[in-house]
Amino acid sequence: MSNTIRAGAAIAPAILLAACAGETVWPPSPWPTGSVTAAAETVPVGTANADAADDPAIWRNPADPAKSVLLGTDKKAGLYSYRLDGTVIDFVPAGLLNNVDLVSLAGGTVLVAASDRTDAATPAIAFFTLASDGQLTQGPRLEVGSGGSGEAYGFCMAEADAAGQLARAYVVTKQGPVIEAVIGGTAQAPTILSTRRFAIPSQSEGCVVDGRTDMLYVGEETVGIHRFDLSQASPAGELVSRADGTALVPDVEGLAIAPVGSDGGYLIASSQGDNAYAAFALPTMAYAGRVRIVDGGGIDGTVETDGIEFAAGSFGPGFPDGIFVAQDGDNGPDADGNATQNFKLVRGDALLAALRGE
């Protein structure tokens, strides 16, 4: 595996060791970090007093972008759909879902899928379809590995790259390997046409496919971000940004693409160890900036973010130029004193401006 490092190679901050557990504890990044506030937040997920909300996805309604739909997992209970003001549209009690993604198919059907953790030994994908009004319809659960392959953890999707396919799905197993599953059949009755595996040395979760270049990015939590060229028959990972406490403070969690042009824009990563988000210029992966979501406008900031998502384009007057969504690991207590988790929505243009220090 190549060790191309383009961010943080020159700075090695001191590492503090937690005396009680031997856990590596990193100080905050020494690099300048901008700030931005959320424009909206979702109703908290139903599971309180637990690490529950995890990963978002966004469907842009082409007929009425202001009526686009946000999806979010409660990894203890199922899948939510939300309006852009954060109110709940629908909830499917689908069990232990971790990460979620979607693709729009020919004819307008929206295929939604999530990593299913019901069986800790055998990875699986849970399928749904999404209607334009935000209603979810639950589909089948399909296994993508034999017993011993490991728990389905991270998840992302890409559009089909050949006739007869619906989409391609990527299941990041908790124990290491990433499984690519080529999806066939119909949105209501999907099938697994084929699979292949990519090696990751240790626990990983966040992943995203840049459909413009057919590159898969995977976050190895304590190590950094790997890139796989999916056009190759047997792609080998390239470590393109190391989590050394500068740009990225471990754990590396959610990943998202903010696209510009044919191959430009940014890869954004959740730098969970210091409650920030780091951006890298595409396609070079040169470091581009950092930002935090802070308190403001009556909405609290984010901490310990797991999943993130970025979608380009207009989403109506509230989000005129892109939208960024981040899971919030501590949304504070509700009216009954229960700890809650939810998702924060940020204007895309505001986030990118803060990343660039504007």
Side-chain angles (χ1 to χ4, degrees):
M1 178 176 292
S2 171
N3 284 328
T4 301
I5 309 300
R6 294 189 176 92
I11 302 176
I15 301 173
L16 306 179
L17 298 180
C20 58
E23 177 186 359
T24 301
V25 178
W26 295 80
S29 169
W31 289 6
T33 303
S35 62
V36 68
T37 58
E41 63 179 335
T42 66
V43 173
V45 299
T47 302
N49 301 315
D51 180 21
D54 196 85
D55 189 53
I58 304 168
W59 174 67
R60 184 178 182 273
N61 186 331
D64 189 347
K67 293 183 179 179
S68 297
V69 178
L70 169 66
L71 301 178
T73 56
D74 178 336
K75 62 187 175 186
K76 311 291 185 182
L79 182 64
Y80 283 89
S81 63
Y82 303 93
R83 301 174 184 87
L84 296 187
D85 65 1
T87 56
V88 174
I89 302 172
D90 197 12
F91 173 71
V92 177
L96 307 182
L97 306 182
N98 209 58
N99 285 192
V100 63
D101 206 353
L102 58 86
V103 292
S104 294
L105 306 178
T109 300
V110 182
L111 179 66
V112 177
S115 52
D116 188 310
R117 305 172 68 181
T118 303
D119 183 344
T122 305
I125 303 172
F127 289 92
F128 308 81
T129 55
L130 175 69
S132 61
D133 63 358
Q135 296 296 313
L136 289 158
T137 300
Q138 189 170 6
R141 174 185 182 274
L142 301 179
E143 294 183 353
V144 293
S146 59
S149 295
E151 177 183 341
Y153 204 48
F155 184 79
C156 54
M157 298 181 79
E159 293 182 350
D161 64 355
Q165 301 177 7
L166 288 183
R168 293 169 290 159
Y170 298 86
V171 179
V172 182
T173 63
K174 194 168 186 178
Q175 284 75 5
V178 179
I179 302 173
E180 177 192 67
V182 177
I183 311 301
T186 67
Q188 293 72 29
T191 61
I192 306 296
L193 298 178
S194 64
T195 62
R196 59 177 177 166
R197 295 179 178 230
F198 315 137
I200 293 283
S202 67
Q203 181 169 312
S204 306
E205 182 176 2
C207 72
V208 67
V209 176
D210 188 341
R212 303 166 304 167
T213 58
D214 215 23
M215 293 290 182
L216 169 68
Y217 295 86
V218 181
E220 187 179 6
E221 292 188 353
T222 62
V223 176
I225 300 170
H226 299 264
R227 180 169 60 191
F228 295 84
D229 183 350
L230 297 174
S231 68
Q232 298 179 357
S234 300
E238 176 189 17
L239 185 62
V240 290
S241 182
R242 186 179 294 279
D244 64 357
T246 54
L248 286 172
V249 180
D251 286 347
V252 180
E253 291 288 338
L255 303 178
I257 300 286
V260 176
S262 62
D263 63 358
Y266 303 96
L267 175 75
I268 304 172
S270 171
S271 176
Q272 192 183 68
D274 72 336
N275 304 320
Y277 310 94
F280 303 89
L282 294 172
T284 64
M285 282 295 289
Y287 172 71
R290 310 178 84 251
V291 68
R292 291 189 178 93
I293 301 174
V294 300
D295 298 353
I299 301 175
D300 64 309
T302 57
V303 297
E304 298 181 357
T305 291
D306 289 325
I308 61 175
E309 181 67 291
F310 188 100
S314 171
F315 288 82
F319 301 92
D321 190 10
I323 184 170
F324 178 74
V325 183
Q327 182 260 5
D328 183 9
D330 183 2
N331 187 49
D334 62 16
D336 298 320
N338 295 312
T340 63
Q341 293 187 342
N342 72 346
F343 301 91
K344 300 299 195 283
L345 292 77
V346 178
R347 283 181 50 151
D349 53 350
L351 180 95
L352 297 181
L355 281 170
R356 295 189 292 254
E358 299 173 359

